[in-house]
């Protein structure tokens, strides 16, 4: 199994609901280790830069607006197959489709306010980690 890193963002809706700890517990139960973390209020510009791959999508403006609407909690997770493992923990993008027991099934309200972000590939994970954390602030193996 490959040791990987991925980015997790606890979105403004879940931070406002005060469920950061409950979401961290799921990382721990799944064997994913937090190797970097910070709380941050994103500017619109920072949210646009982070989601640049979605620039042409119809939901881009709503997504950026939402991500800049309140503080988020950003962490790097490390573990075997971390990218896929964390996406399993998150559940489907739309909480209505998310499997029972996933983070989105339990904490998300809508496809826009859907509690968490996770990188979708190792390549994007590396880009997203570098977007928020200098190498010296990541404490993994
Ligand atoms: P994320 O990037 O946030 O981890 O979510 P994801 O991979 O499951 O979904 P993605 O396709 O990358 O979309 C990014 C975020 O945009 C919002 N979205 N809205 N209204 C819509 O049809 C729609 N589609 C996507 C969601 O908040 C999604 O998490
Ligand atoms: Mg995505």
């Amino acid at each position: 199994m490959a040791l990987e890193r991925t980015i997790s963002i606890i979105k403004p809706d879940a931070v406002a609901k005060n469920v950061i700890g409950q979401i961290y517990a799921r990382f721990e139960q799944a064997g994913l280790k937090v190797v970097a973390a910070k709380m941050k209020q994103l500017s619109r510009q920072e949210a646009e830069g982070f989601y640049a791959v979605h620039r042409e999508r119809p939901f881009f403006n709503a997504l950026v607006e939402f991500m800049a609407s309140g503080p988020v909690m950003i962490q790097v997770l490390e573990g075997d197959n971390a990218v896929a493992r964390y996406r399993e923990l998150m559940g489907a993008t739309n909480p209505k489709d998310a499997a029972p027991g996933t983070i989105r099934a339990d904490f998300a309200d809508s496809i826009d306010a859907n509690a968490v972000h996770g990188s979708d590939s190792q390549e994007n994970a590396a880009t997203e980690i570098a977007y928020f954390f200098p190498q010296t602030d990541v404490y993994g193996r």
Side-chain angles (χ1 to χ4, degrees):
M1 287 248 217
L3 190 73
E4 292 178 356
R5 288 177 183 173
T6 190
I7 271 270
S8 159
I9 301 180
I10 301 177
K11 294 185 178 184
D13 57 320
V15 171
K17 277 186 185 173
N18 199 23
V19 292
I20 292 171
Q22 292 187 61
I23 293 175
Y24 267 52
R26 307 230 172 163
F27 306 154
E28 295 168 3
Q29 284 154 14
L32 294 171
K33 195 172 175 185
V34 177
V35 296
K38 65 179 161 198
M39 187 175 272
K40 189 170 167 61
Q41 165 79 56
L42 301 182
S43 65
R44 272 198 71 102
Q45 214 174 3
E46 285 169 325
E48 279 171 13
F50 181 75
Y51 276 118
V53 289
H54 292 316
R55 216 170 18 229
E56 305 303 330
R57 309 283 283 280
F59 57 80
F60 182 70
N61 280 332
L63 175 61
V64 164
E65 186 108 349
F66 175 66
M67 290 300 285
S69 69
V72 296
M73 187 75 199
I74 311 167
Q75 43 282 323
V76 177
L77 306 179
E78 185 181 82
D80 286 331
N81 294 318
V83 172
R85 184 171 297 198
Y86 175 50
R87 286 191 72 86
E88 260 173 53
L89 283 187
M90 288 198 299
T93 308
N94 188 337
K96 287 183 188 143
D97 303 327
T102 59
I103 294 170
R104 282 167 168 162
D106 291 345
F107 300 115
D109 296 322
S110 68
I111 191 164
D112 298 304
N114 65 354
V116 279
H117 163 82
S119 310
D120 58 12
S121 67
Q122 281 199 71
E123 193 192 354
N124 286 341
T127 307
E128 293 178 2
I129 291 167
Y131 191 80
F132 285 123
F133 296 99
Q135 264 180 30
T136 48
D137 289 354
V138 182
Y139 297 98
R141 293 228 305 259

